[in-house]
Amino acid sequence: MLRRIIFPHSLILTFLMFALIWILDVIRINLHFLNPFNESIRDYQITDIVYSRLRDKRIAVDNRIVMVNTGQPSRDTLAMLVNRIREAGAKVIAIDIMLEERKNPVTDSILLTSLTSMENVVLAMEIDGVNDETGIFSIQKSCNPYFCDNVYSGFINFITNDTSTVRIFSPKEMTTTGECLSFPVQAARLYDQEAADRLFKRGNKVEEIYYFGNEDQFVQCEQTDILDTSRNLQGIIKDKIVLIGFLPIDSWDKPMRDRHYTPLNARYTGRNTPDMYGIVIHANIIRMILDNTYVVEPSWGLNLLLTFLICYFNIHLYYQIFRRVSVPYHFVTRFLQIGETVILFFLVALLFHFYRIKIDAGYWITALLLTFDAVKFYDNGIKKRIPLFNKIPYELPLSVKKKKTQPEKNSAEKSSDEPPVVEKPDNKSSEK
Amino acid sequence: MRTILAILFQFCLVYGITAQNTVMVLHVAGQVQYLPHYGAKPVNIAPGDELELKGKIRCKGSGSARLVYEGTPITVTGTKMRDVEEIVKTAVKSSEMSFTGRFFNFLNESLKEGVTDEKLKKHHRRYMNKSSGGIKGFATPEATIKALLTTTGKLPQANVVFKWRKVPGTGPYLFVVQDARQKTVAQLLLRDTLVVLDLDHLALNLDEEYTWSVTRGEKDRSAQIPFEICPASIVDQQTDLSHEKTYQSASEAEKQLMLAYRLEEERFFYAAQKTYQDLFQQNPDNVVFRRMYATFLARLDMLPEAETLISGKQK
């Protein structure tokens, strides 16, 4: 069995290939002169294509989350909104607006009364001042204690640099005053404690966000829809999570405030415009938590094993082609490379689309692209110059027991195992 | 055979039961009206509403609605009254493709050559229509003939006066009435800038929307003005104010003013104009009625008439 799977030269070459990829990986980091190119593709992942181009455009509207666009509301309007939503029987109200300072004592007081009149209200705040050694945040800001001390709060920080895409989020962080949940996690917890427990059980410091889609996945109301007293809101709001925030989708000037890059961006490389409002990202996270639809990433070990297997079998395939048909080797392998790249891309896309399994195929494709030259270099260069390698057979010898019982057959097999000497000039030289 | 028929019948039954007969409203910008059936009072839709397929939908002004039917998102814009079912059919047709189909579509698109810098420099004029620095604002309208908007919205069945403004030039005006499929229903050659039509005599259906337009020669044309015909009984039903307390306690003139406003709200612009006009003629010295009539005309983009009305009083 092993004889059919293990081929010594392919195995040696696979290890050499791993070393080569590691060297290239190290060098890539130091290629500063490639920065403009690096910048544009640095923040790109194959799964971005799945989100932006291969995703089913059909909508599965989430009936547990309703978004309300407030534009830039005054505090008394916000109080009225909260009152109307509370009266309609919402289970959780999550306000994605930072009530940073006290303004008018009267309206502030009215707003606080509205906020505290319901149990499950979450306010947005930010955390800052991280201690690099302990990982503890020292500052909680953007929400005045007048409001925050009386209701639940959650941090709205996304994990991103200035230009990159929002792909991951932190469920909870430690602050000097204790543990602090993120805004969407807090809202999801108040709505469904079990769902939040499932998230905490995973124990990940950060979670990959699984995007169900843009704002179309949720019912979106304008503040006028909520404040219209002639309407009965119970039908759309009762027992739901209501996210209140900035969502000016139909605004003629399409403001850029609170818009972020996501993998759903139609232009997944190079310069583009941010595509999603923060409140929609929060809604996607909440939905992911409630539906338990986390992105599955294979462990480092499994990824290494898969990369090894793909690299090994690919090298063996190319090596066999090289040994048997050396003349059209270029032609055949180039086509194979293109075909295999498409198949790998299809597999990665398929796994992510249907099973949310996110595989980093970067190393697979690098190995695939290097195989062609590596096989040639190894067979013509390394193997000939290092006598030890030259002595190693292409296939493992048969076991001793078998040799004894079937001496004639073994000798026939042995002769067939030897590489063809007529076709290749390289083999002739190795015989010398 | 019986078994096959029974299975087929059950399949049809299950399919019929499970098929979605409603469309969900995801988001509404501005005002969008829905009519469950012909003659029903239009209701403003709101997010979360479920609309039946057999109804009709129309946006007011620049309003728009985002609907979803069996997972297919649909955007509705435009002031034309349209069947919900028709909108849904069009949207569903254009959105069916499997994952594999989308994958190969993507591969095929990727294989097409992109626009290189060289190509861009060589044929730069071809690529000058994709972006521009500036925003849309006031511009010369495409329609050189200005149609008066009193004959838009819901019109009576009896004699209706269609008017438009005179433009310099010679030759007759061609007045055309078309249905929703752009099929001509009536066509007239005219010397004057108005025509009186008895809509009852034309082959027009009550629950359909039509447009009228005027052209002269090849250059001059008006915009297509949408209208529909509405029997008097439905006008009375949709603009009935008798049950409202404020209406009951109002004077006759005030009642007429309230009615005019309600008519305008319900898009009976032709009837509203007549009511405002009658009210003004009965009370020529009443500044409030004069101004109300003038602002109504201004809302219908008839500024010269509104100005004349205001300045006539000042003189």
Side-chain angles (χ1 to χ4, degrees), chain A residues 94-120:
Chain A
I95 302 170
D96 190 18
I97 299 165
M98 289 174 271
L99 301 171
E100 206 160 6
E101 289 162 10
R102 297 282 302 274
K103 283 195 172 172
N104 183 323
V106 178
T107 48
D108 281 355
S109 165
I110 292 169
L111 179 57
L112 183 65
T113 311
S114 302
L115 294 174
T116 50
S117 63
M118 188 178 154
E119 195 183 343
N120 296 339

Side-chain angles (χ1 to χ4, degrees), chain B residues 123-178:
Chain B
H123 308 287
H124 72 277
R125 287 185 189 89
R126 282 187 206 166
Y127 303 100
M128 287 176 74
N129 58 350
K130 291 191 176 171
S131 64
S132 55
I135 56 164
K136 282 184 182 175
F138 299 104
T140 315
E142 279 177 30
T144 47
I145 300 175
K146 188 166 173 53
L148 299 193
L149 296 178
T150 45
T151 41
T152 188
K154 295 167 190 169
L155 302 181
Q157 285 168 299
N159 293 341
V160 178
V161 185
F162 293 86
K163 286 183 185 174
W164 56 94
R165 293 206 199 286
K166 200 176 176 180
V167 287
T170 53
Y173 293 100
L174 178 66
F175 176 87
V176 181
V177 175
Q178 290 179 315

Side-chain angles (χ1 to χ4, degrees), chain B residues 116-301:
Chain B
T116 58
D117 275 359
E118 251 177 54
K119 202 174 172 186
L120 203 68
K121 283 174 188 169
K122 199 173 176 185
H123 308 287
H124 72 277
R125 287 185 189 89
R126 282 187 206 166
Y127 303 100
M128 287 176 74
N129 58 350
K130 291 191 176 171
S131 64
S132 55
I135 56 164
K136 282 184 182 175
F138 299 104
T140 315
E142 279 177 30
T144 47
I145 300 175
K146 188 166 173 53
L148 299 193
L149 296 178
T150 45
T151 41
T152 188
K154 295 167 190 169
L155 302 181
Q157 285 168 299
N159 293 341
V160 178
V161 185
F162 293 86
K163 286 183 185 174
W164 56 94
R165 293 206 199 286
K166 200 176 176 180
V167 287
T170 53
Y173 293 100
L174 178 66
F175 176 87
V176 181
V177 175
Q178 290 179 315
D179 66 10
R181 293 165 204 82
Q182 304 289 307
K183 202 175 159 189
T184 303
V185 179
Q187 196 167 298
L188 292 162
L189 274 175
L190 303 153
R191 289 190 195 286
D192 207 353
T193 55
L194 66 90
V195 59
V196 183
L197 281 181
D198 193 346
L199 298 179
D200 225 7
H201 290 171
L202 298 180
L204 303 177
N205 295 325
L206 285 178
D207 58 345
E208 274 187 46
E209 194 170 71
Y210 298 88
T211 57
W212 69 270
S213 61
V214 182
T215 54
R216 188 163 73 173
E218 285 185 359
K219 278 184 181 175
D220 296 324
R221 61 182 61 249
S222 74
Q224 290 201 316
I225 310 298
F227 74 91
E228 61 193 280
I229 47 173
C230 202
S233 57
I234 289 176
V235 180
D236 294 341
Q237 185 193 325
Q238 290 187 1
T239 59
D240 182 28
L241 291 165
S242 57
H243 58 280
E244 288 185 16
K245 279 183 184 171
T246 43
Y247 184 80
Q248 288 162 3
S249 58
S251 67
E252 276 309 308
E254 283 169 343
K255 277 182 180 172
Q256 216 172 339
L257 189 65
M258 286 169 81
L259 178 65
Y261 189 74
R262 171 57 69 92
L263 285 165
E264 187 190 348
E265 263 196 330
E266 296 296 335
R267 295 172 57 80
F268 294 99
F269 300 115
Y270 193 78
Q273 195 255 336
K274 284 218 167 302
T275 315
Y276 274 119
Q277 195 176 22
D278 290 348
L279 186 66
F280 170 62
Q281 281 169 354
Q282 285 160 20
N283 309 278
D285 297 326
N286 190 317
V287 181
V288 175
F289 294 162
R290 181 188 289 267
R291 288 197 172 165
M292 290 293 280
Y293 184 27
T295 49
F296 165 75
L297 293 172
R299 284 196 292 274
L300 288 186
D301 204 15

